[in-house]
Amino acid sequence: MTDRPDRSFFERPVTAVAPDLLGMVLACGDRAGRIVEVEAYGGADDPASHGHRGRTPRNEVMFGPPGHLYVYFTYGMHWCANVVCEPDGRCGAVLVRALAPLGGLEEMWPARPKARRERDLCSGPAKLTAALGIDQRHNGADLLDPASPVSLRLRASGPPEWATSARIGITTATDRQWRWYVPGDPNVSRPPR
């Protein structure tokens, strides 16, 4: 028995995988948090996706194999982490938007010097990568490999209640309700719009 999902879990459409990630644990070394907010991004059919125009050196990881981590740099200063989904060769990833901190907080605080409360540590995609220490070194990491520095662990109990809203911080395909979050969790990055 393993505490990680198997590869077939990720070989599904991004919109099926995204809500199922809620409540799972994303960890990098001793730092870990329970996923409380995600957004799905498809391929050619999703103009908000990095894979919309096809494969490039930057987005190569988004095209598979599934169960890997796609890490990209944004706004010239932040890293964002995505879980790759869909069958191998097909583009899709789920952006991890927020975590509820669980472990390694003594390492998270120095990595997030502007955080004043525990709920500020991982309440956004760039905040959580900083808190966990995820950066370009982790792009392509296999989340299912026990030797990987970044892992995704199964929930200890059933999935949490969740709600949906439009994705945040994009300017195209804003009508898609492809953001899933745990309502009432103080670590969620932003109230729904």
Side-chain angles (χ1 to χ4, degrees), residues 34-37 98-101 119 123 160 181-190:
R34 182 175 32 84
I35 299 173
V36 297
E37 183 184 355
L99 303 173
R119 71 182 190 193
S123 60
Y181 62 96
V182 178
D185 190 292
N187 301 283
V188 169
S189 67
R190 198 183 306 175

Side-chain angles (χ1 to χ4, degrees), residues 62-123:
M62 280 187 82
F63 288 83
H68 287 248
L69 195 67
Y70 167 53
V71 180
Y72 67 87
F73 200 53
T74 187
Y75 300 118
M77 62 176 129
H78 300 299
W79 297 102
C80 293
N82 300 259
V83 176
V84 176
C85 307
E86 302 278 352
D88 195 7
R90 188 177 163 129
C91 182
V94 177
L95 172 66
V96 181
R97 283 200 56 86
L99 303 173
L102 294 175
L105 273 71
E106 62 284 348
E107 294 176 72
M108 289 185 187
W109 285 110
R112 291 273 303 116
K114 291 184 180 178
R116 296 293 170 248
R117 302 164 295 186
E118 188 173 300
R119 71 182 190 193
D120 298 329
L121 288 171
C122 300
S123 60

Side-chain angles (χ1 to χ4, degrees), residues 1-12 17 20-21 24-26 35 66-67 83 142-146 151-155:
M1 175 127 172
T2 179
D3 67 344
R4 298 174 197 233
D6 61 28
R7 192 81 55 201
S8 64
F9 172 86
F10 304 100
E11 293 173 339
R12 302 178 294 144
V17 175
D20 287 348
L21 288 172
M24 290 191 179
V25 175
L26 182 66
I35 299 173
V83 176
D142 186 347
L143 296 168
L144 308 180
D145 181 350
S151 64
L152 186 66
R153 300 181 198 140
L154 293 169
R155 296 181 284 271

